[in-house]
Amino acid sequence: KIIQPIYLLCLCVGRTASAFLPSLHHHGSSSSAAVNHQRSRSTSIHATPFPEIIETPRILVQKGMQSFCNNDVPSSLAYFDKADAATPNGSLKPFLWQRGISYYYLDQFQAGSDQFRLDVSVNPLDVEEIVWDIACLARMENNGRVAASAEFPPEKRMALPNGKKDRRRIMGTVYSLFRGDGATEYELRKAGHEGNISDEFYSLFYLGLYCEIRDETTKAESYMKAAASSTYASGNGAGDYMSSCAKVHCKLRGWVA
């Protein structure tokens, strides 16, 4: 997952130090005058404060993501909220999927569902937003507890537009499993095993989330720990926010030190 750049303002760093320096050319001045001029320049440089770096929405989102990756979920939410508030006309709000994940781990399931539904309004083909909303709904319907098997999937779950699908093959099986459309846990596990290392990671991650909201904690722990230690999460996919999410999930649940 990536941040949508069109909705994140670029960082304004102000002028560089060279912008505060006068010209180095001394037309017809004596060496003494040049020394005095040099001293004058030096004094003015130290007296001129550099402009403060502005915390743009982009920087605030980056800080929120870093806080989350450092297991500080409350701070991550605070940064995402500040980024939202700093963006005119709420234009960033439908792209803050990271905030939805923070809401989930802070047990703010209604807010999480609201965020993911906003995300889907501008990105209707992203299965992950639909899946995370289902996870929030399942927890909401049980007062924050994991759902009993008979109560899953939630009645108000979202769906992809008719005839459409996520471009990522593994997500078709993830989608079917969470929506109760026919895929089984075994089929998702098999699809991940037969795919590439990214497919393997995402199958393990969403199997972990699925088992958690189904009150199958032992299996949830096994799957999520496997995702967090997978070749993808510890290698080429280490920079993927969801790799960090798997590790944070394990820490928050007390499954790793």
Side-chain angles (χ1 to χ4, degrees):
K1 277 186 167 294
I2 58 173
I3 302 174
Q4 301 289 338
I6 192 172
Y7 287 89
L8 299 177
L9 307 179
C10 294
L11 172 63
C12 298
V13 295
R15 293 181 293 171
T16 62
S18 62
F20 295 97
L21 300 178
S23 172
L24 296 179
H25 299 291
H26 311 301
H27 301 289
S29 61
S30 65
S31 59
S32 175
V35 170
N36 290 334
H37 183 61
Q38 177 66 32
R39 288 172 180 165
S40 174
R41 281 180 34 242
S42 177
T43 301
S44 71
I45 292 172
H46 289 294
T48 305
F50 285 93
E52 293 184 4
I53 295 178
I54 300 172
E55 283 192 320
T56 63
R58 178 178 182 176
I59 294 301
L60 290 167
V61 169
Q62 289 175 342
K63 287 186 174 182
M65 294 172 72
Q66 188 59 55
S67 293
F68 181 88
C69 294
N70 291 337
N71 303 301
D72 188 354
V73 183
S75 290
S76 76
L77 180 59
Y79 279 121
F80 296 144
D81 286 345
K82 286 178 67 177
D84 185 14
T87 307
N89 304 317
S91 56
L92 179 61
K93 194 182 296 290
F95 298 92
L96 280 172
W97 52 266
Q98 303 96 327
R99 178 165 65 178
I101 293 175
S102 292
Y103 279 137
Y104 177 85
Y105 287 111
L106 291 171
D107 293 347
Q108 298 183 34
F109 303 116
Q110 181 63 68
S113 176
D114 292 343
Q115 178 65 60
F116 292 123
R117 286 172 180 260
L118 272 175
D119 298 344
V120 170
S121 71
V122 295
N123 192 12
L125 301 184
D126 191 335
V127 161
E128 292 188 82
E129 320 292 0
I130 296 173
V131 164
W132 277 100
D133 178 59
I134 289 173
C136 287
L137 291 175
R139 301 292 296 273
M140 282 168 52
E141 292 181 359
N142 291 272
N143 297 317
R145 299 188 303 274
V146 289
S149 297
E151 300 168 332
F152 191 88
E155 182 180 352
K156 296 180 180 179
R157 61 195 181 278
M158 291 188 290
L160 291 169
N162 288 335
K164 301 294 183 180
K165 61 182 180 179
D166 193 301
R167 59 182 175 78
R168 297 165 293 176
R169 290 182 59 187
I170 194 70
M171 288 302 160
T173 312
V174 170
Y175 175 79
S176 179
L177 177 65
F178 272 77
R179 275 189 43 84
D181 289 344
T184 64
E185 182 183 336
Y186 170 78
E187 288 172 335
L188 179 53
R189 198 167 63 241
K190 184 173 182 288
H193 180 71
E194 294 177 348
N196 56 33
I197 60 172
S198 173
D199 292 338
E200 179 188 37
F201 166 79
Y202 276 96
S203 67
L204 290 168
F205 179 88
Y206 282 110
L207 281 166
L209 185 64
Y210 175 79
C211 287
E212 175 171 273
I213 61 178
R214 296 292 302 274
D215 196 17
E216 298 178 89
T217 305
T218 300
K219 287 200 295 184
E221 177 180 355
S222 177
Y223 284 132
M224 197 62 75
K225 287 170 70 174
S229 61
S230 67
T231 301
Y232 179 80
S234 59
N236 292 340
D240 186 334
Y241 195 67
M242 301 312 293
S243 292
S244 295
C245 189
K247 297 167 187 176
V248 170
H249 190 120
C250 290
K251 284 185 176 292
L252 291 176
R253 301 299 185 248
W255 297 338
V256 296

